[in-house]
Amino acid sequence: MKYLPLIWANLMRRKVRTVFTLLSVFIAFMLFAVLGAVDQAFTGGVELAGADRLMVMNKTGLINSMPVNYVDRIAKVPGVAAVTLQDWVGAYYQDPRQPITGFAVDAPSFLEVHSDMQLPPGQAQAWLADRTGVIVGQILAKRYGWKAGDHFPLRSNIWRDKDGKSTWDVTVDGVYSGGQEDLLLMHYKYLDEARAFRNNQANMFVLKVADPARSGAIARDVDQLFANSAAESKTQTEKAFLQSFAAMLGNIGKIVTGIVSAVLFSMLLVTANTMAQSIRERVSELAVLKALGFSRRGVGLMVLGESLLVTVLGGALGLFLGSGFASGIGSKLPFLQNFHTPPAGIALGILLMLLLGLLAGLLPAVQAMRLQVATALRRA
């Protein structure tokens, strides 16, 4: 800390250069925070996966369906504790540009399989007894201001009823917490009995296994049941399913890592060049400091401190504002639940800014430590 006034004074010698270097680091870490939020939005759902749940979908693709009577056959597979079905609703409320992640489900078995979703007992009973009822997650309820008892027209961009209408009048019977909190869940029978096509079919089945260690064997047994049928199945863990779903959008993680690596490497070169230039301009001053009794180590630490101060100041500000900017974007994108910079990303950012400062200042610091007083003064 005793060198801090000298470090600050040296940085202020060239204010414009220091400001532009700070801005470069600031923008780099702001981009790091926003891209971290993008990665989190597309892959963060994997963390919500249940270890004891398996997903069964049509082997030819998620958009193809399977007969709902598969439920009874899957339930008889040894090791399956419970099984439920769900079907895409393609739902939206008022604005088709803001889709809602909605599923038509068999309510009793769905609640049994998804025990991580917490719904007050009274609201659960109300939902089970209400054919037109829906439950919504807390995030969705907060976004639209919905509460138990509200009625609204739910529209679908997939389904039409037998009269050609795409609207289902529903009532909010409950608001759940836990699990994926941006879902809308309606009764499968309410949707299926009214829709004009693809009746008695579902996109996927979710089963709960008694022993997660046997998930692989149970998945093979389930797929064996429907081998060579008109709708063969593909069974995988919920985590693997969510990872493969995210992979359909491209390897977001690798894209983000590639962009961030390129930006940070550029910043390393810019900061290192700035520090090297600063040292070249102050050769005589560093020689005088050594002549006055400053140790080689002290001179080296001052140079390293300048580099660290620039990257930490610019990086911390960029990380802070970038995280806030990402949260602001997330609030405007209702179909992305996890659009925010994760705590692990912020911790990695802090580590990277320290590493960037050390690497950028290391070579100039070594040069300053090796500086010979007589030689430096003669050159000056």
Side-chain angles (χ1 to χ4, degrees):
M1 292 297 291
K2 64 180 180 180
Y3 295 135
L4 190 57
L6 274 175
I7 292 173
W8 185 252
N10 285 329
L11 287 176
M12 290 297 103
R13 283 164 52 93
R14 300 281 186 179
K15 292 185 178 66
V16 174
R17 184 170 64 195
T18 300
V19 168
F20 276 109
T21 306
L22 279 169
L23 279 175
S24 301
V25 177
F26 164 78
I27 291 172
F29 278 91
M30 187 169 179
L31 183 63
F32 174 87
V34 174
L35 289 177
V38 172
D39 184 39
Q40 171 72 9
F42 286 99
T43 62
V46 175
E47 299 168 2
L48 304 175
D52 59 350
R53 287 197 290 265
L54 298 179
M55 309 290 290
V56 184
M57 53 181 281
N58 193 303
K59 189 176 181 179
T60 58
L62 187 59
I63 61 172
N64 296 315
S65 60
M66 298 170 288
V68 294
N69 60 19
Y70 276 19
V71 167
D72 296 331
R73 298 176 65 183
I74 294 172
K76 294 176 183 177
V77 173
V80 174
V83 59
T84 189
L85 62 86
Q86 60 188 54
D87 204 17
W88 289 102
V89 176
Y92 66 91
Y93 174 62
Q94 294 180 335
D95 187 354
R97 295 172 301 178
Q98 296 190 353
I100 294 172
T101 307
F103 292 106
V105 303
D106 174 62
S109 59
F110 186 89
L111 292 176
E112 183 181 2
V113 170
H114 296 83
S115 53
D116 52 334
M117 289 184 173
Q118 298 164 2
L119 185 65
Q123 295 183 359
Q125 290 300 321
W127 186 40
L128 293 173
D130 183 5
R131 182 171 172 272
T132 64
V134 300
I135 59 171
V136 296
Q138 286 188 337
I139 291 177
L140 203 58
K142 182 179 179 182
R143 184 181 306 151
Y144 291 104
W146 289 333
K147 59 184 183 303
D150 284 352
H151 301 271
F152 64 91
L154 181 70
R155 305 198 67 177
S156 170
N157 54 26
I158 299 176
W159 309 113
R160 296 288 184 275
D161 64 16
K162 295 178 176 63
D163 296 325
K165 298 177 182 177
S166 62
T167 302
W168 274 257
D169 292 321
V170 298
T171 303
V172 178
D173 288 329
V175 178
Y176 72 86
S177 60
Q180 193 174 348
E181 295 183 342
D182 62 346
L183 299 180
L184 179 147
L185 303 167
M186 66 183 296
H187 289 285
Y188 176 81
K189 286 184 178 178
Y190 181 42
L191 174 75
D192 192 59
E193 289 173 0
R195 63 183 173 183
F197 59 97
R198 220 179 77 176
N199 301 93
N200 297 313
Q201 299 276 316
N203 284 116
M204 65 186 79
F205 304 99
V206 186
L207 57 94
K208 189 174 185 177
V209 297
D211 181 6
R214 293 197 61 244
S215 293
I218 294 171
R220 287 192 293 275
D221 290 345
V222 170
D223 290 340
Q224 188 61 37
L225 276 179
F226 310 112
N228 300 317
S229 69
E232 291 186 298
S233 66
K234 178 183 178 182
T235 306
Q236 55 191 331
T237 62
E238 191 174 44
K239 183 175 183 178
F241 169 79
L242 293 174
Q243 286 175 331
S244 63
F245 190 75
M248 292 179 189
L249 303 171
N251 198 325
I252 302 297
K254 285 187 178 178
I255 294 172
V256 170
T257 301
I259 295 174
V260 169
S261 299
V263 171
L264 291 182
F265 183 69
S266 300
M267 283 305 96
L268 174 64
L269 298 180
V270 169
T271 310
N273 180 62
T274 301
M275 292 308 303
Q277 187 175 352
S278 175
I279 296 305
R280 284 196 298 272
E281 292 172 354
R282 290 162 32 213
V283 168
S284 60
E285 294 177 19
L286 293 173
V288 170
L289 288 178
K290 282 190 170 182
L292 290 175
F294 279 74
S295 66
R296 295 173 66 247
R297 181 183 176 188
V299 172
L301 286 176
M302 273 196 295
V303 174
L304 208 54
E306 287 179 37
S307 176
L308 276 171
L309 191 58
V310 168
T311 56
V312 169
L313 278 178
L317 193 59
L319 208 55
F320 175 74
L321 292 182
S323 301
F325 184 60
S327 297
I329 295 175
S331 66
K332 303 296 182 186
L333 299 174
F335 49 89
L336 291 178
Q337 179 180 352
N338 297 305
F339 199 97
H340 62 84
T341 309
I346 293 176
L348 179 61
I350 294 172
L351 182 65
L352 285 175
M353 73 178 70
L354 292 173
L355 191 62
L356 179 65
L358 287 173
L359 289 176
L362 186 60
L363 184 58
V366 171
Q367 290 174 334
M369 290 173 66
R370 290 178 176 174
L371 193 67
Q372 298 297 320
V373 176
T375 305
L377 290 177
R378 276 199 301 273
R379 285 165 51 190

